[in-house]
Amino acid sequence: MRILNIGSMNLDYVYTMDHIVQPGETAASLDRNVFPGGKGMNQSVALARAGADVYHGGMIGPDGQLFLDVCAGNGIKSGYIRCIEAPTGHAIIQIDSSAQNSILLYGGANRCVTEEYVDEVLADFGEGDVLLLQNEVNLLPYIVDRAYGKGLLIALNPSPFDDRLNAVDMDKIGIFILNEVEGCQITGLCASDDIIVKLLQMYPRARIVLTLGEDGAVYADARQKYYQPVFEVRAVDTTAAGDTFTGYFLTGLCEGKSIPEVLKMSAKAASIAVSRKGAVPSIPGRAEVEEALKEK
Ligand code: RIB
């Protein structure tokens, strides 16, 4: 099964901090690293390292060669990535001493997707293919409408949530993968069980995966519901943990594995990602995840 991901590519400027800077405060960082990231690229790398057949689409600027290298190094088909005259997107990420982060995004080239470009890419895809989206590129309503019209199964990670998502026809989404904050923003409810019930009322044909941070993850559709606890690790950087979960979940689902198996594999992959620094560099490969699952 082919998975097309039209998604963001960000250069992540990651600052290690004692604490996340408060409004009006100036604080010195303890360290700085630059990693490839962006929810789109992180999820493509997670898909590919999990074993999926991945096609990445989106826009970079002349400073974005790194992303073509990441694709080449991970077996991701990069032929749909366009290099345009706009700066590559970037993110300023602060990581505090408890591994929590705060992220400031600059969309740059990620927000230069055009209808012509979408039509050109989707011309090569149709029924039997999967489209994965996040909310870091522009034109999501158009992309969703066109992909749905062509019969693709659409998986949406509505992250980061903002008002632009209100223009997306969510009835066309087959799989939602979201965290509690996004679930609360979409439903107006904040307890995880309430979020699931409400989302299934709103989108009864959809499959929902709700990640709950340290409290694990829940899968639900109209017929079944499963809970997966986290695997405890010493967290150093939670960036891309959700992206890793998303990539592994979608891969397992496309392989036809059972939902409990898919959830377990995804949780293990995410736990490994949080034990390492960076976005793309933290995402484990399938063999490592499977080996770690055998350990007690
Ligand atoms: O999900 C983590 C990602 O969010 C980072 O890599 C950053 O680029 C932002 O898009």
Side-chain angles (χ1 to χ4, degrees):
M1 193 177 277
R2 300 187 303 171
I3 303 180
L4 168 65
N5 181 8
I6 301 183
S8 59
M9 289 162 273
N10 291 332
L11 293 162
D12 286 353
Y13 295 87
V14 181
Y15 298 86
T16 306
M17 307 293 294
D18 276 332
H19 64 277
I20 288 168
V21 180
Q22 301 300 301
E25 182 188 13
T26 302
S29 61
L30 306 172
D31 191 17
R32 189 200 80 154
N33 289 288
V34 184
F35 298 113
K39 293 186 195 304
M41 182 50 66
N42 297 342
Q43 292 179 20
S44 279
V45 169
L47 286 163
R49 290 187 183 161
D53 183 17
V54 193
Y55 296 73
H56 192 91
M59 307 285 178
I60 51 173
D63 53 344
Q65 174 63 38
L66 174 62
F67 294 97
L68 300 177
D69 298 342
V70 167
C71 288
N74 287 280
I76 298 166
K77 278 89 168 180
S78 61
Y80 297 111
I81 296 177
R82 295 282 176 274
C83 185
I84 60 168
E85 283 306 316
T88 299
H90 75 252
I92 307 285
I93 304 181
Q94 298 179 53
I95 311 282
D96 73 10
S97 53
S98 60
Q100 291 307 311
N101 63 29
S102 89
I103 303 183
L104 182 159
L105 288 175
Y106 171 71
N110 293 315
R111 305 212 61 84
C112 296
V113 172
T114 64
E115 293 186 358
E116 294 68 31
Y117 168 76
V118 173
D119 291 345
E120 193 186 315
V121 173
L122 288 178
D124 294 342
F125 294 85
E127 266 176 45
D129 295 325
V130 177
L131 173 68
L132 173 61
L133 298 168
Q134 314 77 28
N135 190 28
E136 286 187 348
V137 300
N138 62 312
L139 281 193
L140 279 194
Y142 185 80
I143 302 172
V144 167
D145 288 348
R146 298 294 293 187
Y148 186 81
K150 297 201 69 184
L152 279 80
L153 170 64
I154 306 173
L156 174 66
N157 170 222
S159 178
F161 184 90
D162 63 32
D163 287 347
R164 283 185 289 237
L165 282 169
N166 294 333
V168 173
D169 183 352
M170 297 289 188
D171 288 326
K172 295 176 177 169
I173 306 301
I175 306 167
F176 289 92
I177 305 173
L178 71 176
N179 66 27
E180 256 177 321
V181 175
E182 292 141 7
C184 182
Q185 287 164 316
I186 291 177
T187 62
L189 303 169
C190 289
S192 58
D193 286 344
D194 296 343
I195 293 170
I196 294 274
V197 169
K198 182 76 180 174
L199 281 174
L200 285 174
Q201 274 168 7
M202 293 163 78
Y203 312 113
R205 288 175 302 159
R207 287 174 266 186
I208 316 280
V209 183
L210 186 68
T211 58
L212 309 169
E214 290 175 358
D215 293 327
V218 179
Y219 169 93
D221 61 32
R223 291 176 296 114
Q224 50 185 345
K225 186 173 174 185
Y226 295 99
Y227 171 69
Q228 171 66 49
V230 285
F231 291 92
E232 302 278 346
V233 286
R234 197 180 75 80
V236 299
D237 181 354
T238 55
T239 313
D243 300 328
T244 303
F245 192 103
T246 297
Y248 268 82
F249 184 87
L250 206 52
T251 302
L253 201 68
C254 292
E255 286 174 358
K257 288 169 91 77
S258 73
I259 299 293
E261 272 182 298
V262 181
L263 284 173
K264 198 171 176 189
M265 175 172 79
S266 310
K268 178 56 89 174
S271 76
I272 295 171
V274 302
S275 69
R276 296 174 180 158
K277 286 188 177 178
V280 162
S282 72
I283 301 168
R286 178 78 172 253
E288 181 181 5
V289 173
E290 285 180 352
E291 207 45 50
L293 279 170
K294 289 183 199 154
E295 289 164 13
K296 275 275 168 204

